[in-house]
Structures are given as structure tokens and as C-alpha cells.
Amino acid sequence: MEFRDYYKILGVDKSATADEIKKAYRKQARKYHPDVSKEPDAEKRMQEVNEANEVLSDAEKRAAYDQLGSRYQAGQEFQPPPDWGSGFEFSGRDFGGAGGDYSDFFANLFGRGGAAAGGPFRSSAGQGGYQMRGEDRHARILIDLADAYHGAVRTISLQAPVADDSGLVVVREHSLKVQIPRGVKEGQHIRLAGKGSPGSGGGPAGDLFLELSFRPDARYRVDGRDVFTSLPVAPWEAALGAGIETPTPSGPLQLKVPAGSQSGRKLRLKGRGIPAPAGQDAGDLYVLLEVVLPPADSDAARRIYEEMARELAFDPRRQNGQAKGV
């Protein structure tokens, strides 16, 4: 997937105001609209123009896109980074739905639904002189896996993209203290009542929904409430068995490696995954053994390997049912 330069597609500078973006869109639409255009690729170009306008004409989408765009150029190979969108506060609660003919690039950033889906990148405001409840807001935040095991209180900083009077996007930052409940899962939402957009006409404020994601950690992989990790072991620990202190998200524990273990063996620690609310089962912790060979980087080490070769008469290919020498 290639990174798309929406500013280049619309033919505007990155400092363009909302009015300049609107004018550029109208100009491109007159040129490429399939009903009137003579261009051979009019339909494809019009889809690109519509997509670019969908992002740049919306203050929230534009601010998030600008932060990402500072790291990429048009045509560059692209995958959204794991922390994409975290810490940005947007209007609405959920994002997605059907509708709109969007590229894979757009869908990976904003979902398939676009503004028409009423998702977290969509802005709207109450009208009229009557009371109206404020709009709900949405943000994705990153927490440590250990927070799901123990619970935590965290102070988070959120950035809310808005358009100023000239139509340029500015980001306003504010901080909140958040209680992370023990046993939360990836994708779970925490609702902060009254922390959304203010109401109009004296109406109550909306709510803020925080979607939780685990901060990337090379040591662990999470699937629901189950947690997976790898443990390096020495050949003699795998062959003879051993008790090894093993780090886990809930703290170190003593793991028994059965004698005769091979690299790739998976040990299940029942109930040692992410905790669960009352009445539900906690996840499990799965430990994948990785047998690591000592390097033959000294005379003593080489002699030991040579002795093993003579005394053990071990052929790993025959052990796996393969003909010797294949």
C-alpha cells in the first residue's frame, strides 16, 4: 500500500485554508466529474479527489493525517504505525460502516464509512435555540499490558484537532486522570461521563469514550485474554528439565521446564493470562520454549561439541523421520 498525498491530489499547499481547499475541490470536480469530463481516467481521478477532500475538509481528519504525513512521501510504501491515532480526541463514538468508495489507504486510517458513517472523525453541531446534549467524543489510548493485570491510575494527554477562524487546523491539548480497571481487554472502552463536547442551550455535556490498546511490547502477544511469550532455554535445561524464573506481565514466576523438551514446545499456565470480571474465566499464559545453543567460540566449547558428536551419535534428520543425508 502506498502513501497518498492528499494535498498534491487537490493541488493545494499544506498551509491551505478551509476556503482554499473548498475552491480547489470544486475546480478538480469540474475537471474530472465523469458526467462532464473528457479525461480517459476521469472516474478514477474523481474518486481520488473526493477522498482527498473527505480528509482535508474535515479539521479532525486533517490534523491526524498531517501528523502522519510528516513522516511519509507520496508513493512511499506505507503501513499505519501501531500507535496511529492514539491520543487524538475526535467527535463521535464509533467509526466504520458502509458507504463511500475509498482506497485501502483511506480505509486503513479512517475505516470504510467516511464521514457519512457518523464515526469518530465526523464533526457535527446542534442548531436551534433548544437544549441539546453535547456530542460524544472518542479517543484511543495506549496502556501497558501490566495495567490490565493490576489496574492503574494514569494521567493521559489528549489532543483535540479544531479549525480556527481562518480555517487552519490547530491542536488543543488537555490532560485527564483515568482509572484503568483490572482485567480490561484490547479494544475495550472506558466511558467518562460529561467529558465530551459541551451542550448547547444549557444542555448537558456529552461523554468521552476511551478505547484501550496495549502498548507494543516485543516480549508478549495478546489474543483476547490469552497472552503468549517466548522463553530462551539452554540445551541442558531442555534435555534434563529445569526450574527457571520467568518474567510475566504480573511479575516473575517459577516455571518448570519438563525433561526432554524441544524448541517450539508450548507450556500452558492456566489462569495466568489477563484477569477477568467475576463469573468469567481469566486468560491463560502460553510460554513457547526456544532452545538456544552456546556458541563454539573457544577451544573448550569446541571440545565439548566434538565429544557430543562422538558419544551421542545423534542425527536430527533421522530423528525427524528423514533419510540420512537428505
Side-chain angles (χ1 to χ4, degrees):
M1 182 171 56
E2 294 183 350
F3 184 82
R4 289 197 167 194
D5 188 336
Y6 289 135
Y7 290 99
K8 185 176 181 180
I9 290 173
L10 280 189
V12 296
D13 293 332
K14 292 185 178 181
S15 60
T17 64
D19 284 341
E20 289 170 338
I21 288 172
K22 186 184 296 184
K23 290 177 182 177
Y25 171 70
R26 289 173 177 171
K27 179 181 177 181
Q28 297 278 25
R30 285 194 296 268
K31 181 177 180 181
Y32 294 113
H33 198 287
D35 292 343
V36 296
S37 179
K38 305 291 187 185
E39 300 287 337
D41 58 349
E43 185 174 355
K44 178 184 176 183
R45 293 296 299 273
M46 192 66 226
Q47 288 175 355
E48 293 175 349
V49 168
N50 282 334
E51 184 173 303
N53 183 64
E54 169 79 14
V55 174
L56 300 185
S57 64
D58 184 288
E60 296 179 342
K61 284 196 194 75
R62 183 179 178 184
Y65 172 77
D66 283 349
Q67 187 187 65
L68 192 66
S70 63
R71 295 179 255 172
Y72 296 91
Q73 296 180 346
Q76 185 176 348
E77 194 65 25
F78 169 79
Q79 282 294 332
D83 61 348
W84 156 246
S86 63
F88 268 87
E89 185 180 326
F90 298 104
S91 304
R93 181 183 301 182
D94 296 306
F95 192 79
D101 190 4
Y102 299 104
S103 67
D104 289 341
F105 173 76
F106 180 96
N108 271 273
L109 297 185
F110 305 108
R112 286 283 178 190
F121 291 85
R122 181 187 179 189
S123 297
S124 60
Q127 297 179 355
Y130 54 88
Q131 281 193 350
M132 178 174 286
R133 180 183 180 276
E135 193 172 35
D136 291 337
R137 306 281 291 175
H138 175 281
R140 186 168 72 91
I141 63 171
L142 298 178
I143 64 172
D144 293 327
L145 181 57
D147 293 342
Y149 275 77
H150 306 294
V153 176
R154 295 283 181 257
T155 298
I156 61 170
S157 294
L158 297 179
Q159 297 173 304
V162 295
D164 63 16
D165 294 338
S166 66
L168 293 176
V169 176
V170 295
V171 176
R172 294 174 183 165
E173 186 170 319
H174 64 106
S175 297
L176 290 169
K177 186 171 286 188
V178 180
Q179 175 77 45
I180 308 296
R182 179 176 180 269
V184 293
K185 293 197 304 181
E186 182 97 23
Q188 187 170 328
H189 288 76
I190 295 176
R191 173 176 170 262
L192 302 181
K195 297 297 184 180
S197 299
S200 58
D207 299 333
L208 173 61
F209 291 84
L210 300 178
E211 180 184 347
L212 304 180
S213 292
F214 293 129
R215 188 170 283 108
D217 189 327
R219 297 171 298 174
Y220 304 110
R221 179 175 66 84
V222 180
D223 183 5
R225 294 193 182 279
D226 294 335
V227 179
F228 298 80
T229 189
S230 297
L231 178 66
V233 295
W236 47 90
E237 292 173 327
L240 305 176
I244 302 175
E245 185 173 272
T246 306
T248 76
S250 60
L253 58 82
Q254 197 73 11
L255 177 69
K256 182 178 180 181
V257 176
S261 292
Q262 297 287 338
S263 194
R265 181 169 186 172
K266 187 186 295 183
L267 305 181
R268 177 190 177 208
L269 303 181
K270 185 174 175 58
R272 292 286 189 169
I274 296 176
Q280 299 183 28
D281 293 331
D284 299 328
L285 177 65
Y286 292 90
V287 180
L288 187 70
L289 301 182
E290 293 183 358
V291 179
V292 180
L293 299 178
D297 55 0
S298 67
D299 290 341
R302 283 191 291 272
R303 283 196 299 271
I304 291 173
Y305 275 117
E306 290 167 356
E307 184 178 354
M308 290 174 62
R310 288 193 304 269
E311 298 295 331
L312 297 182
F314 174 69
D315 185 344
R317 291 159 294 284
R318 186 172 295 279
Q319 290 292 115
N320 291 332
Q322 298 177 8
K324 189 173 182 179
V326 176

